[in-house]
Amino acid sequence: MSLIYKLTLSLFALSLVVFGIYGIYQLRTESQNLRDDVEKETRLLAYSLLVSVENALRDRQMEDVQELLQQIEHLKPSIDVRIYIQNRNVIHSNAESLIWPEKVEQSLYQAALDGEIKQFYFPADEPDFMVLSLPFNKASTAMKGNLAVVRSLQKMKEDLSKTKTYILWSFFSFVVFTSLLCFFLGHVYISRPLQELRQAMLAFRNSREPPEPLPVTGKDELSSVRQEFNRMTAELFSAYRRLDAETQHRRQLQRALQNADKMITIGQLSAGLAHEIGSPLQIVNGRARALAACGEDKEVHRIANILVEQTDRITRIVQRLLEFAPHPSPEPIFCDVIQTIAEVIDMLDYEAQRQGVTMNFTHAESLPLLLINKDGVQQIVLNLLSNALASIADTGSIRIDLSKDSIAYADKTMPALRLTVTDTGTGIAPEHLPYLFEPYFTTRGKKGGTGLGLAVVKTLVTEMDGSVAVAEAESGKGSQFIVHLPWKNRS
């Protein structure tokens, strides 16, 4: 059962109890007041008639007495008047409208014999009559007896019934109106705000974005609850964002540690292989060169040249393997990053022109000297540009952008250097994106790709506390790599 129904039923029950008690008290008070009024009116009438009847009896005017009684009973049909004489004679009118019960008659005869004042209701529990008997003044009349007035209480009962009906209708109308008003106001001021708060909680639970703040228009308890709810949701979503950022950072750190473990293992393996392969390879390369220089047979000379070319190729591969061998990172130095990157572009400019590829380098007019690993930056740019050139099958373009940006760590941001390399090559298939920076992952294995270039880029960027990412693009529409390196200038 909802809160508004509980409040309405509670108010309804309380109203029934309180106004029920009040209605009973009011009804009893009204009944007593009506009875008192009837008694006063009857007494006043009886004493007035007693004086008139005594005067008429003293003057022996019996006809006047009967006429008086008839007029009274005609004006008040609910009242009958009789005169009881001690000799059991009764004087009454011929227009009596009430039927006098036998017990009432006997009581009035006895009151006349006793010559006393007598007042009673008949019956006693649910009276239909009020009876009043007054004795004659012995000094004013020679007769001895009583004047009896019997008054019907039917009119009083009818008035009391009307009053009871009015009280009941008023009582139930007030209770129903109060309950409906309570239900309406409770719905407006309690149920609807609580329902809105519940909907906001459900939206808060099922949403990844903060809900719209609830409107606060008053200063009551529910308005305070809304204010606290708005404040709580804002703080919780702020905490969620920090937690998500920290979780992402932790996952990146875990992946970086995993990659670092891989790189360490690969480096140790590469160093061992380079050492074991390097020595006999030099011997084979030397013998092949000697054979190519001295051989007179064309076939021998051709085979010797093939041996020289392939051993040179193996030597280059071994040299690349040595790049993964553990070696101390160069100390960062203050350098001009624009000039550092321009040197790499100049170095690859001939190869780009040979392929029909244009390279555009855009940057700020000047940047301050930065404390950075110069060799590492050049290696990063060299590998990215080499991959870009390799991805362009025919003519195309490469754009290198250098600008100042920012990088986020948890809930803090710090200035960073942004390097963007964009090409118009074959692009990257979506299913290959998660594996780009894995060592030895390559899509150009048949064209001599080793899958180490981007892995080296990732390692160098991580060592500099930076980040590298590839922008999502459709396959066949080029690719874009974005590198962020922390900005450290002269302090």
Side-chain angles (χ1 to χ4, degrees):
M1 184 181 293
S2 65
L3 179 62
I4 185 61
Y5 285 110
K6 291 181 180 179
L7 288 175
T8 303
L9 290 178
S10 300
L11 179 63
F12 184 79
L14 180 62
S15 300
L16 283 178
V17 173
V18 173
F19 289 98
I21 295 174
Y22 173 77
I24 293 173
Y25 170 77
Q26 187 70 18
L27 192 61
R28 288 184 177 180
T29 303
E30 186 67 20
S31 176
Q32 187 61 43
N33 290 337
L34 286 174
R35 180 173 290 190
D36 292 341
D37 291 341
V38 168
E39 287 183 3
K40 289 179 182 179
E41 184 180 347
T42 306
R43 280 179 174 274
L44 180 61
L45 177 62
Y47 278 106
S48 300
L49 286 174
L50 182 63
V51 174
S52 300
V53 169
E54 284 178 345
N55 292 333
L57 290 177
R58 184 184 57 203
D59 297 337
R60 304 293 181 173
Q61 298 175 351
M62 300 299 295
E63 294 82 2
D64 293 342
V65 173
Q66 288 189 345
E67 184 178 357
L68 176 61
L69 297 182
Q70 289 177 0
Q71 290 178 355
I72 292 299
E73 292 171 358
H74 178 73
L75 293 175
K76 287 281 188 178
S78 61
I79 296 176
D80 282 348
V81 182
R82 293 182 185 182
I83 299 173
Y84 289 85
I85 308 300
Q86 287 185 352
N87 59 9
R88 302 188 71 85
N89 290 328
V90 179
I91 301 173
H92 59 84
S93 69
N94 295 321
E96 292 179 346
S97 59
L98 300 179
I99 299 176
W100 295 44
E102 183 64 27
K103 289 185 178 181
V104 174
E105 288 279 359
Q106 293 176 0
S107 298
L108 291 177
Y109 276 122
Q110 188 62 42
L113 290 175
D114 296 337
E116 62 181 7
I117 299 175
K118 191 168 187 177
Q119 177 181 324
F120 62 92
Y121 289 90
F122 182 86
D125 51 353
E126 291 289 336
D128 293 326
F129 302 98
M130 176 193 170
V131 181
L132 178 62
S133 179
L134 299 176
F136 294 142
N137 188 354
K138 296 178 180 179
S140 62
T141 181
M143 288 186 180
K144 294 182 179 181
N146 283 29
L147 174 70
V149 177
V150 177
R151 181 166 188 167
S152 173
L153 300 180
Q154 186 63 34
K155 182 66 169 55
M156 185 188 76
K157 287 185 175 181
E158 291 177 358
D159 292 341
L160 192 60
S161 177
K162 291 179 180 179
T163 303
K164 182 179 179 180
T165 303
Y166 171 76
I167 291 176
L168 288 175
W169 275 109
S170 300
F171 164 65
F172 281 110
S173 299
F174 179 82
V175 169
V176 171
F177 174 77
T178 304
S179 301
L180 292 177
L181 182 62
C182 173
F183 180 81
F184 174 73
L185 295 179
H187 177 73
V188 172
Y189 294 110
I190 298 177
S191 180
R192 187 166 64 186
L194 289 179
Q195 187 67 21
E196 292 176 355
L197 187 61
R198 179 177 178 273
Q199 294 297 332
M201 289 180 178
L202 292 176
F204 173 77
R205 183 179 66 182
N206 301 325
S207 176
R208 300 298 297 175
E209 296 295 329
E212 291 293 329
L214 292 174
V216 179
T217 56
K219 295 183 179 180
D220 54 9
E221 291 80 359
L222 285 175
S223 298
S224 300
V225 170
R226 289 189 172 206
Q227 287 179 342
E228 292 300 325
F229 177 78
N230 292 338
R231 188 179 298 112
M232 179 193 69
T233 53
E235 292 177 355
L236 282 177
F237 267 97
S238 178
Y240 286 164
R241 292 191 189 96
R242 291 196 299 270
L243 182 61
D244 287 342
E246 292 174 358
T247 302
Q248 292 295 332
H249 183 67
R250 180 173 57 83
R251 289 176 181 173
Q252 292 175 359
L253 183 60
Q254 288 178 344
R255 287 195 293 267
L257 290 175
Q258 292 173 355
N259 290 335
D261 290 340
K262 290 182 182 179
M263 299 301 288
I264 291 173
T265 303
I266 292 171
Q268 293 173 348
L269 179 62
S270 299
L273 288 175
H275 177 73
E276 295 297 330
I277 296 174
S279 298
L281 186 62
Q282 289 179 358
I283 297 173
V284 173
N285 185 269
R287 295 293 185 270
R289 289 181 182 277
L291 186 60
C294 301
E296 296 180 356
D297 190 337
K298 291 183 178 180
E299 183 65 19
V300 172
H301 184 75
R302 185 181 67 81
I303 293 174
N305 285 331
I306 292 174
L307 287 175
V308 171
E309 291 176 359
Q310 295 303 315
T311 53
D312 286 342
R313 179 173 176 271
I314 295 173
T315 300
R316 290 194 299 271
I317 294 174
V318 170
Q319 185 62 35
R320 289 188 178 181
L321 287 175
L322 285 175
E323 293 177 354
F324 285 89
H327 56 83
S329 300
E331 290 294 329
I333 60 174
F334 286 101
C335 64
D336 184 351
V337 181
I338 298 176
Q339 181 62 33
T340 300
I341 296 175
E343 291 175 359
V344 179
I345 295 174
D346 290 340
M347 182 176 63
L348 295 176
D349 186 60
Y350 175 77
E351 179 64 22
Q353 290 181 5
R354 188 182 65 81
Q355 291 185 222
V357 177
T358 59
M359 291 192 296
N360 300 316
F361 182 28
T362 60
H363 54 80
E365 187 174 348
S366 63
L367 290 175
L369 297 180
L370 300 182
L371 183 62
I372 203 166
N373 181 359
K374 179 179 179 180
D375 294 339
V377 171
Q378 289 189 330
Q379 186 67 39
I380 292 170
V381 177
L382 177 62
N383 288 355
L384 292 178
L385 293 182
S386 298
N387 281 356
L389 286 171
S391 68
I392 299 175
D394 205 346
T395 59
S397 64
I398 300 174
R399 189 176 74 252
I400 304 100
D401 298 315
L402 184 64
S403 61
K404 188 176 180 180
D405 201 353
S406 61
I407 189 172
Y409 285 106
D411 57 347
K412 298 185 297 183
T413 59
M414 58 186 300
L417 193 69
R418 176 189 174 101
L419 173 66
T420 305
V421 177
T422 307
D423 63 65
T424 58
T426 56
I428 303 169
E431 62 271 16
H432 295 157
L433 289 175
Y435 311 104
L436 283 182
F437 300 103
E438 294 285 340
Y440 299 111
F441 174 79
T442 180
T443 58
R444 296 185 288 106
K446 296 181 180 180
K447 298 180 181 180
T450 60
L452 297 176
L454 291 180
V456 171
V457 170
K458 180 69 173 179
T459 301
L460 292 173
V461 171
T462 303
E463 288 179 354
M464 298 181 193
D465 296 327
S467 66
V468 59
V470 57
E472 295 186 13
E474 296 182 17
S475 179
K477 293 187 177 182
S479 59
Q480 183 183 73
F481 287 85
I482 303 171
V483 178
H484 284 92
L485 300 175
W487 183 288
K488 299 177 183 178
N489 53 12
R490 291 183 183 272
S491 56

